């Protein structure tokens, strides 16, 4: 176990004893150059560096106008350094000049700004390596990004969208050396920005500022590398590895055009694999689902953004082609202790290969027709296909009083091909109605999906159910052709009207209607030779179409339709430092489910109050308290009462009688 410690300190001015606020405190492992922790002192001059491992560090406190304070600190417990007096740097003050470096971190209202030059990166590092060094920003193993606990769903460049809602395309393909500043912004929804009234639909985005020298011409970056795996103890695997990336672009104040290319087999996929994710949704249980294994990926994309009609229109568009291949070789052993003294030892060895490719198109248009009328339209379209093959061999031993007997053994074979497409987007119409604060806006979102898969689900399991040491006469055999289709459609609209009541008071009336429809159709056909005698040495199954029959137990046709409505009124109070909202909404939910002709319907009404209080103490500190309630509908897979037998040792099924559930959400920031 590794102990974790912290260092506390309090900075004051040596002459005046006044607190030194918003200074940078950092610690560096002795003998190294790059700090491992940063933080800022608050307005009282206090700071705490947390999550430090045991060791010797060099602590520094820095702020322009003061001499840098440096001290060697041995960390083997929680340390309080007490008051540290900062001495005025007279030479710096006398020779003060404007600099574009400044503090590494600037916090102001809803934005945290990082100065990229304050965080050391190598010549070949991508944006992802820079983000990993920023305090409060975390990059997970799968490439997902969070900032202060909030998931980053979009990265923009100087306010212009970069490949719509796929931040990995920026983080894994934009060179870090191009970046001047990284801003983490808590951005209100486009509808809330227009009405001026918080609707609780914020998203945290990252906005990048490109170095000024890169904004007036063509620039590019090419990187390539190769090598071999180092064999680990007991292994002779030394597979070759490669990675290559290229980016070229031409940026100016009014336009951005960039091309990115990427290929590697180092598990460094630089995009959101929509086609592969949809194929994964159609597969049943089994191995290799957790993102493990070795991934090879290829990608090429084009992104453009322009300011048109003297700035009245912002237009951006992108295209991306991607291909992913994944190989998983896996072995697992599990020992289960039963309450009757029996131990079950299960062993599973298998491999899984899958491949997918897809095309993605997206456009965003924001246009001001006049001073009072504007619109935003953002459509996206994706289509792709894929295939997979999976084989595993398993056995389970039964151990009692030191005596081992075989309980079962067998194998599974699953393979299939998939094709899919999605069309989604939103339209926002905004209209000011003359009087300041009087507005009406309409937000419409749509999503259509079609996902088809055809494959084989095959397994053979020998069992000794009576524990006599002899396999049962007939093994359990699954030899099925699976034909599966999943279709989804949703339309959601929200109308908001605001009316000023005077002295910072506003009335908001809103209505939201959502229609969601899905159909899941699964046809399982048993092989024509399913009942033929099988010996103990069978290692694979052959599907025979002649004589095949529909297996009604594992087939289903499910239609699910949900209508949700939300109507509400709220009163809003807005002043320079204080914004408050108090409202009430009614949420009826109508659910219809038809599973193989059996119908189920529910209608529930929920009332929910909603309240928000925002108070800004100054530019660097704020407090927010928010509460709301929402109805949520169970997913199709949760409702589907059809067994999934793709893993014969783990069969699952859903429950069609699940009711909608209601969430109460309260958070304080």
């Amino acid at each position: 176990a590794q102990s974790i410690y912290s260092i506390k300190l309090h900075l004051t001015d040596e002459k005046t004893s006044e607190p030194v606020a918003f200074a940078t405190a950092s610690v560096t492992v002795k003998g190294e150059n790059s700090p491992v922790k940063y933080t800022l002192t608050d307005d009282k001059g206090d700071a705490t560096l947390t999550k430090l491992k045991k060791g010797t560090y060099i602590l520094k406190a820095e702020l322009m106008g003061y001499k840098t304070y440096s001290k060697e600190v041995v960390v083997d417990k929680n340390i309080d350094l007490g008051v540290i007096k900062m001495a005025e740097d007279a030479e710096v003050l006398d020779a003060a000049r404007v600099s574009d470096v400044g503090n590494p971190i600037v916090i102001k209202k809803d934005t945290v700004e990082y100065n990229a030059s304050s965080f050391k990166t190598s010549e070949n590092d991508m944006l992802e390596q820079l983000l990993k060094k920023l305090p409060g920003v975390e990059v997970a193993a799968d490439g997902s990004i969070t900032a202060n606990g909030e998931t980053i769903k979009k990265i923009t460049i100087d306010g212009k969208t970069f490949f719509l809602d796929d931040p990995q395309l920026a983080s894994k393909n934009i060179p870090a050396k191009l970046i001047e500043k990284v801003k983490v912004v808590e951005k209100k929804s486009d509808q809330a920005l227009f009405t001026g009234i918080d609707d609780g639909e914020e998203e945290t985005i990252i906005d990048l500022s490109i170095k000024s020298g890169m904004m007036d011409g063509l620039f590019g970056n090419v990187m390539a590398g190769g090598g071999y795996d180092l064999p680990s103890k007991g292994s002779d695997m030394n597979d070759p590895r490669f990675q290559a990336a290229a980016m070229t672009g031409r940026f100016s104040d009014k336009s951005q055009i960039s091309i990115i290319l990427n290929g590697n087999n180092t598990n460094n996929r630089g995009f959101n694999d929509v086609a592969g994710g949809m194929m994964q949704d159609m597969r049943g249980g089994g191995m290799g689902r957790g993102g493990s294994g070795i991934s090879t990926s290829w990608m090429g994309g084009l992104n453009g953004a322009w300011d048109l009609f003297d700035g009245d229109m912002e237009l951006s568009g992108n295209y991306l082609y991607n291909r992913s291949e994944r190989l998983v070789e896996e072995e697992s052993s599990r020992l289960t202790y039963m309450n009757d003294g029996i131990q079950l030892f299960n062993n599973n060895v298998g491999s899984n290969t899958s491949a997918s490719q897809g095309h993605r198109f997206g456009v965003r248009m924001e246009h001001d027709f006049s001073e009072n009328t504007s619109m935003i339209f953002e459509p996206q379209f994706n289509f792709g296909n894929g295939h997979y093959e999976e084989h595993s061999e398993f056995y389970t031993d039964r151990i009692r009083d030191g005596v081992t007997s075989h309980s079962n053994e067998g194998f599974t074979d699953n393979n299939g091909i998939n094709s899919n497409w999605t069309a989604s987007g939103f339209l926002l119409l905004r209209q000011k109605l003359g009087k300041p604060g009087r507005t009406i806006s309409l937000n419409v979102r749509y999503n259509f999906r079609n996902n088809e898969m055809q494959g084989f689900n095959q397994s053979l399991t020998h069992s000794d159910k009576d524990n006599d040491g002899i396999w049962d006469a007939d093994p359990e055999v699954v030899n099925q052709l699976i034909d599966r289709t999943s279709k989804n459609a949703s339309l959601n609209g929200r109308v908001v009207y605001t009316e000023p009541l005077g002295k910072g008071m506003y009335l908001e009336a809103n209505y939201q209607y959502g229609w969601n429809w899905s159909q899941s159709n699964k046809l399982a056909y048993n092989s024509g030779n399913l009942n033929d005698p099988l010996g103990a040495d069978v290692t694979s199954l052959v599907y025979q179409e002649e004589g095949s029959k529909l297996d009604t137990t594992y087939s289903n046709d499910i239609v699910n339709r949900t209508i949700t409505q939300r109507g509400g009124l709220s009163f809003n109070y807005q002043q320079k430092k204080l914004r408050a909202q108090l409202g009430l909404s009614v949420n009826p939910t109508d659910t219809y489910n038809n599973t193989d002709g059996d119908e189920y319907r529910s209608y529930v009404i929920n009332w929910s109050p909603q309240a928000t209080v925002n108070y800004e103490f100054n530019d660097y500190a704020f407090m927010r308290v928010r509460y709301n309630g929402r109805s949520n509908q169970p997913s199709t897979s949760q409702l589907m009462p059809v067994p999934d037998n793709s893993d014969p040792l783990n069969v699952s099924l859903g429950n069609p009688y699940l009711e909608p559930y209601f969430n109460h959400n309260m958070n304080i920031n």
Side-chain angles (χ1 to χ4, degrees):
Q2 173 66 57
S3 299
I4 302 297
Y5 304 105
S6 63
I7 299 176
K8 284 180 151 184
L9 52 92
H10 176 72
L11 300 184
T12 63
D13 188 291
E14 185 179 56
K15 291 183 178 180
T16 66
S17 297
E18 291 292 325
V20 177
F22 309 113
T24 301
S26 65
V27 288
T28 304
V29 177
K30 186 177 180 180
E32 297 187 4
N33 297 321
S34 299
V36 294
K37 288 288 182 181
Y38 276 100
T39 190
L40 294 181
T41 58
D42 60 19
D43 55 359
K44 297 179 181 178
D46 294 321
T48 303
L49 294 152
T50 60
K51 298 182 179 179
L52 297 175
K53 297 180 179 180
K54 184 177 180 180
T56 302
Y57 297 86
I58 304 299
L59 179 138
K60 288 185 179 182
E62 301 171 273
L63 184 65
M64 186 173 289
Y66 291 92
K67 293 181 179 179
T68 298
Y69 174 86
S70 181
K71 178 181 177 66
E72 182 176 309
V73 181
V74 177
V75 175
D76 56 7
K77 61 181 179 180
N78 292 329
I79 297 174
D80 189 345
L81 297 177
V83 176
I84 296 175
K85 296 183 178 181
M86 301 287 286
E88 183 181 279
D89 191 346
E91 292 183 8
V92 171
L93 291 178
D94 292 341
R97 63 186 179 87
V98 175
S99 170
D100 63 353
V101 178
N103 286 336
I105 310 171
V106 176
I107 302 174
K108 191 170 183 180
K109 294 187 177 179
D110 56 0
T111 301
V112 181
E113 182 180 288
Y114 301 90
N115 195 318
S117 62
S118 299
F119 302 89
K120 186 177 180 180
T121 55
S122 71
E123 183 72 12
N124 293 322
D125 279 349
M126 295 297 171
L127 172 63
E128 183 177 70
Q129 281 70 45
L130 173 60
L131 295 177
K132 289 179 178 179
K133 299 177 184 293
L134 305 183
V137 179
E138 296 183 2
V139 181
D142 63 358
S144 59
I145 306 167
T146 58
N148 301 318
E150 299 293 332
T151 300
I152 300 296
K153 297 182 179 179
K154 182 179 296 184
I155 291 181
T156 61
I157 298 179
D158 289 323
K160 293 181 171 60
T161 301
F162 188 81
F163 280 97
L164 293 181
D165 301 325
D166 194 345
Q168 290 191 43
L169 281 167
S171 65
K172 291 183 178 291
N173 296 286
I174 295 180
K177 63 185 179 183
L178 303 181
I179 307 303
E180 182 176 43
K181 295 183 184 297
V182 177
K183 299 177 184 177
V184 177
V185 183
E186 188 175 314
K187 179 180 175 294
K188 293 181 174 61
S189 70
D190 293 310
Q191 200 163 19
L193 288 172
F194 173 71
T195 63
I197 297 175
D198 192 353
D199 60 4
E201 300 293 335
E202 289 92 351
E203 62 177 351
T204 303
I205 70 169
I206 287 179
D207 183 54
L208 307 175
S209 295
I210 303 296
K211 291 179 179 177
S212 57
M214 302 292 178
M215 294 293 287
D216 297 317
L218 193 67
F219 64 88
N221 187 79
V222 177
M223 179 272 290
Y228 280 84
D229 290 340
L230 288 175
S232 59
K233 185 177 180 180
S235 170
D236 59 355
M237 289 190 297
N238 59 342
D239 295 333
R241 298 279 163 240
F242 73 91
Q243 59 178 7
M247 176 184 179
T248 183
R250 186 178 183 90
F251 287 7
S252 68
D253 292 338
K254 294 186 177 181
S255 67
Q256 297 177 4
I257 298 177
S258 53
I259 299 173
I260 55 177
L261 302 169
N262 195 311
N264 67 81
N265 65 347
T266 59
N267 289 5
N268 190 29
R269 191 184 71 202
F271 52 88
N272 179 19
D273 187 4
V274 176
M278 292 185 68
M279 181 175 69
Q280 194 81 334
D281 291 342
M282 298 291 279
R283 296 177 60 180
M287 61 163 294
R289 302 292 196 272
S292 57
I294 297 295
S295 294
T296 302
S297 61
W298 305 89
M299 176 267 292
L302 172 66
N303 185 80
W306 302 269
D307 290 339
L308 304 173
F309 305 115
D310 296 325
D312 288 338
M313 176 182 288
E314 293 183 9
L315 178 66
S316 61
N318 62 79
Y319 164 75
L320 180 75
Y321 168 79
N322 60 264
R323 178 176 175 83
S324 296
E325 299 173 358
R326 187 155 67 100
L327 167 65
V328 181
E329 293 180 348
E330 188 173 272
E331 180 172 355
S332 65
S333 298
R334 183 175 64 214
L335 186 61
T336 304
Y337 295 87
M338 311 296 287
N339 59 9
D340 56 1
I342 296 176
Q343 300 173 24
L344 296 178
F345 178 78
N346 176 260
N347 191 75
N348 192 309
V349 179
S351 64
N352 174 41
T353 60
S354 61
S356 62
Q357 63 176 351
H359 302 265
R360 189 188 318 173
F361 304 86
V363 175
R364 177 182 170 92
M365 181 181 67
E366 183 169 357
H367 183 56
D368 295 330
F369 296 99
S370 67
E371 184 179 349
N372 296 323
T373 306
S374 61
M375 68 168 288
I376 299 176
F377 182 44
E378 188 176 290
Q380 296 186 61
F381 183 70
N382 311 278
F383 67 91
N385 57 69
H387 61 86
Y388 67 92
E389 293 183 5
E390 176 183 312
H391 176 81
S392 65
E393 298 177 3
F394 58 85
Y395 69 84
T396 303
D397 285 345
R398 185 175 182 270
I399 307 171
R400 184 166 192 170
D401 299 329
V403 178
T404 301
S405 60
H406 291 304
S407 180
N408 61 56
E409 71 175 26
F411 65 87
T412 64
D413 278 311
N414 294 299
N415 63 82
I417 57 174
N418 170 253
S419 63
N420 54 71
W421 62 263
T422 66
S424 61
F426 76 89
L427 172 67
L428 175 60
L429 299 174
R430 305 177 292 191
Q431 178 69 46
K432 296 179 181 178
L433 300 175
K435 186 176 181 180
R438 181 181 293 165
T439 67
I440 187 169
S441 57
L442 170 65
N443 190 347
V444 178
R445 294 184 177 273
Y446 65 90
N447 192 307
F448 300 95
R449 296 161 58 99
N450 189 79
N451 207 351
E452 298 178 359
M453 188 184 76
Q454 186 177 76
F456 294 95
N457 173 29
Q458 299 173 318
S459 66
L460 183 145
T461 306
H462 291 286
S463 300
D464 181 10
K465 296 179 180 178
D466 53 9
N467 300 315
D468 60 0
I470 302 174
W471 294 132
D472 297 341
D474 296 320
E476 297 178 20
V477 176
V478 176
N479 191 0
Q480 294 176 332
L481 168 66
I482 304 296
D483 194 348
R484 186 171 179 181
T485 302
S486 176
K487 298 180 179 181
N488 302 81
S490 66
L491 287 171
N492 292 272
R494 186 170 188 263
V495 179
V496 176
Y497 174 81
T498 61
E499 177 69 26
L501 302 178
K503 296 183 179 181
M505 292 288 294
Y506 295 86
L507 171 68
E508 178 194 289
N510 60 77
Y511 174 73
Q512 183 171 332
Y513 181 91
W515 173 83
N516 296 272
W517 175 89
S518 64
Q519 181 179 28
S520 177
N521 180 266
K522 178 182 177 182
L523 299 176
Y525 295 93
N526 290 325
S527 173
N529 66 345
L530 185 63
N531 297 319
D532 287 354
L534 294 166
D537 58 346
V538 174
T539 58
S540 64
L541 298 173
V542 177
Y543 184 86
Q544 291 189 4
E545 186 173 355
E546 184 178 354
S548 61
K549 295 181 180 180
L550 180 69
D551 190 326
T552 56
T553 302
Y554 297 102
S555 300
N556 68 276
D557 185 12
I558 296 176
V559 176
N560 191 65
R561 190 268 300 146
T562 304
I563 295 175
T564 58
Q565 300 180 72
R566 184 181 181 94
L569 286 173
S570 65
F571 290 91
N572 302 271
Y573 177 74
Q574 300 192 31
Q575 293 296 336
K576 184 176 181 180
K577 290 190 173 184
L578 175 65
R579 300 193 309 275
Q581 181 184 38
L582 179 64
L584 183 69
S585 64
V586 58
N587 315 126
T589 302
D590 181 5
T591 303
Y592 170 80
N593 178 272
N594 186 318
T595 301
D596 296 329
D598 294 330
E599 296 185 344
Y600 167 73
R601 187 164 188 171
S602 72
Y603 186 82
V604 296
I605 297 178
N606 286 304
W607 294 84
S608 66
Q610 56 194 44
T612 304
V613 176
N614 295 270
Y615 187 78
E616 295 179 359
F617 300 96
N618 50 51
D619 284 348
Y620 309 100
F622 75 92
M623 180 183 71
R624 171 181 297 152
V625 182
R626 173 181 293 153
Y627 163 79
N628 62 58
R630 296 245 173 137
S631 291
N632 292 276
Q633 174 65 22
S635 67
T636 301
S637 61
Q638 292 172 324
L639 293 166
M640 190 165 57
V642 177
D644 177 3
N645 64 338
S646 56
D647 181 352
L649 300 187
N650 296 280
V651 179
S652 62
L653 73 163
N655 176 7
Y657 299 102
L658 291 176
E659 295 183 353
Y661 55 95
F662 192 79
N663 285 350
H664 296 272
N665 303 296
M666 184 173 183
N667 58 68
I668 302 174
N669 297 327

